[in-house]
Amino acid sequence: MKILVINGPNINMLGVREPEIYGSDTYEDLMELTRAKAREISEKNYSEGRDMVKVNFIQSNHEGEIVTAIQKAYCMYDGIIINPAAYTHTSIAILDAIKAVGIPTVEVHISDVSAREEWRQISYIREACIATVMGEGIQGYEHALEILVENIGKK
Ligand code: DQA
């Protein structure tokens, strides 16, 4: 089971960026935590004769690169975890890309966007996602992976 984790603009600045909102963990920490979760799920799955879980990561500050990454995931990945960051609130192109590839996708936000500015409560991509995880810090990526694996397993 191959999962692509896509992070949008400024997620590479985690740890430095507004720590009172996004915490002090870095993007490296985020990747390590998610990899560790994939290993944990893989070990459990192995004992149950189910698929191993492999995660790959892309971070980009450019909308078009994120669209291209989603397109390239077609037939290559079984699931996508995406935090489009600010593009969440603006990008019809990312919504269309997720719809185009039809890959099960979970939306993640580190902060609780539902409790922030009104415009952050708009997500263009949500309608194409099987679930949204928000306000759980970088642990939200672990949660998203669990949701994804659970849903892909059901197919
Ligand atoms: C974010 C929330 C967005 O509103 C913001 O633009 C981000 C990060 C989050 O993870 O909480 O860059 O997606």
Side-chain angles (χ1 to χ4, degrees):
M1 200 182 289
K2 283 183 73 183
I3 309 295
L4 181 62
V5 183
I6 303 174
N7 279 290
N10 301 306
I11 301 297
N12 55 322
M13 296 295 285
L14 281 183
V16 172
R17 170 189 194 202
E18 300 177 274
E20 67 287 359
I21 297 174
Y22 298 110
S24 54
D25 293 317
T26 65
Y27 178 57
E28 275 299 321
D29 295 333
L30 181 164
M31 289 193 288
E32 198 34 59
L33 191 75
T34 312
R35 281 192 197 105
K37 189 68 187 179
R39 281 196 295 273
E40 183 193 310
I41 297 172
S42 293
E43 279 162 23
K44 185 170 169 283
N45 278 9
Y46 182 73
S47 65
E48 292 167 6
R50 296 175 68 207
D51 277 356
M52 308 290 272
V53 179
K54 183 163 171 33
V55 282
N56 288 325
F57 298 85
I58 289 172
Q59 188 278 325
S60 175
N61 296 323
H62 304 276
E63 184 177 17
E65 277 181 12
I66 295 170
V67 170
T68 301
I70 294 167
Q71 290 179 0
K72 284 187 175 163
Y74 183 64
C75 289
M76 298 291 290
Y77 284 90
D78 305 296
I80 293 174
I81 293 171
I82 188 166
N83 182 350
Y87 291 135
T88 307
H89 319 300
T90 61
S91 183
I92 296 168
I94 294 175
L95 166 68
D96 283 347
I98 298 169
K99 283 183 171 174
V101 296
I103 299 170
T105 298
V106 176
E107 173 189 15
V108 178
H109 299 288
I110 294 162
S111 65
D112 181 3
V113 282
S114 71
R116 297 181 64 190
E117 299 94 326
E118 221 169 287
W119 48 268
R120 280 191 209 273
Q121 296 171 30
I122 297 161
S123 168
Y124 279 92
I125 71 151
R126 194 154 305 159
E127 67 172 75
C129 296
I130 60 170
T132 298
V133 175
M134 61 174 86
E136 298 183 20
I138 64 169
Q139 286 73 21
Y141 290 78
E142 296 181 295
H143 189 183
L145 193 57
E146 284 171 348
I147 294 171
L148 210 43
V149 167
E150 184 64 26
N151 278 275
I152 293 168
K154 275 189 194 144
K155 274 208 303 187

